[in-house]
Amino acid sequence: MNILHFISSPASGGAEVYVKDLAEFLSKQGHNVHIVFLSSATDIGRNTEYEEKFLNDLKFAGVKTHVVGNNARKKPWLGALSIKKYVLENKIDIYHTHLAFGIIFSALLSTPVIYTHHSMEPRWGKFLYYIFNKLVDEYVGISKKCAIALQSYTGRNINTIANAVSGEKFIGYKRVRIPNNIINIAMVGRITLQKDYMNMLAALNLLDGTLKGKLKVRVAVEGDPTYKAQLLDYIKANNLNSVVEFVGVKTNIPEFLNEADIFLMSSAWEGLPIALTEAAISGLPCIVTDVGGCIEIIENSKNGIVVSPKNPQALADAIYKLVSEPKLIEEYSKNAIQNSVHYSISKAAHLHVNLYSSMLT
């Protein structure tokens, strides 16, 4: 089968990592897989070192790549023409977009079109969803909650295929956590209002000095420099410099997670975060906010605590509970490893191939 995935860029986003893992797996299963990017990392100010590794991994797996170009954002007809040319030249059987832009670019295609929605947010008005329904043959939601939300926007039946992660990446980076005197907490995600890092900082500030002295929070991120400056000002003003460290983009997330005892996500909204899925697969106990499909991962993995979003006290209480109960960290860690099969990339790939095949018959 000739499959084309359309995504934003070769960058460190959840949708991008998921599509990369899925494409590599499908390629190894004998499918011809292509990933077309709307933009390059340079076009949108993303990390070029990460992009280089991203593209090299795809090349090694036999996945073909192509960039439409950032100018198609303002001139969508260029994107539509570029996609049509690529689809015809490469005899694509299935066009699978993970961006709304990709739906617009599919307007000239006769190839079956799938759109995967990676968020809970509608993002577009009713009229545009009416147009999307004319172009999209099948919709996919990345969690049960995402599927329900997408159904409410489109009025269509939605396929639910949960986000997944390649287990191969975690060979040698999966272990049961038995904490020592210092508890290392990992966070992964872009510096945006969505991830609500201020919520995390406010929660840390509520902890007493003794407990804060036992914590080291390392945040692997890139993103909005203005928001980052606000976070750094808060850290300085509240003497959290010895507790929180922004470590930049990590090209080896499994290694970064392996160094941690707890994974923390303080988001204001989500779809089904790949970073949280990766944390569960690595054997990390997790503290997450109840947004998007986060609770689905915790319930399936039985590996953590879910708190209400935008509630620093609830987040602080959860941190205190885990840090003060080391045996609970170990229990959650064992559960995470035992239940990681729920988010296997092979399971997601099988569901996608079945969906693709049904569209071609």
Side-chain angles (χ1 to χ4, degrees), residues 142-155:
I142 59 170
S143 70
K144 293 176 183 177
K145 286 189 174 183
C146 281
I148 291 169
L150 185 55
Q151 186 173 26
S152 72
Y153 313 146
T154 63

Side-chain angles (χ1 to χ4, degrees), residues 6-7 36-39 68-85 87 95 97 99-109 113 132 135:
F6 183 81
I7 60 176
V36 173
F37 305 101
L38 174 56
S39 312
V68 168
N70 209 41
N71 59 341
R73 291 177 184 270
K74 294 182 178 180
K75 300 177 180 179
W77 62 90
L78 295 179
L81 290 170
S82 177
I83 289 294
K84 181 180 180 180
K85 180 182 179 183
V87 165
Y95 174 80
T97 177
L99 281 181
F101 267 114
I103 301 176
I104 297 168
F105 296 165
S106 74
L108 302 178
L109 301 181
V113 176
F132 288 174
L135 300 172

Side-chain angles (χ1 to χ4, degrees), residues 102-142:
I103 301 176
I104 297 168
F105 296 165
S106 74
L108 302 178
L109 301 181
S110 57
T111 306
V113 176
I114 301 177
Y115 170 61
T116 293
H117 193 57
H118 288 265
S119 174
M120 291 289 292
E121 302 300 308
R123 298 187 177 180
W124 311 98
K126 289 184 178 180
F127 176 74
L128 202 50
Y129 279 109
Y130 172 80
I131 299 298
F132 288 174
N133 282 346
K134 301 291 184 182
L135 300 172
V136 175
D137 296 288
E138 294 284 351
Y139 287 102
V140 174
I142 59 170

Side-chain angles (χ1 to χ4, degrees), residues 255-267:
E255 181 182 46
F256 175 72
L257 294 175
N258 189 57
E259 296 166 351
D261 303 299
I262 296 170
F263 180 82
L264 178 62
M265 181 166 278
S266 56
S267 301

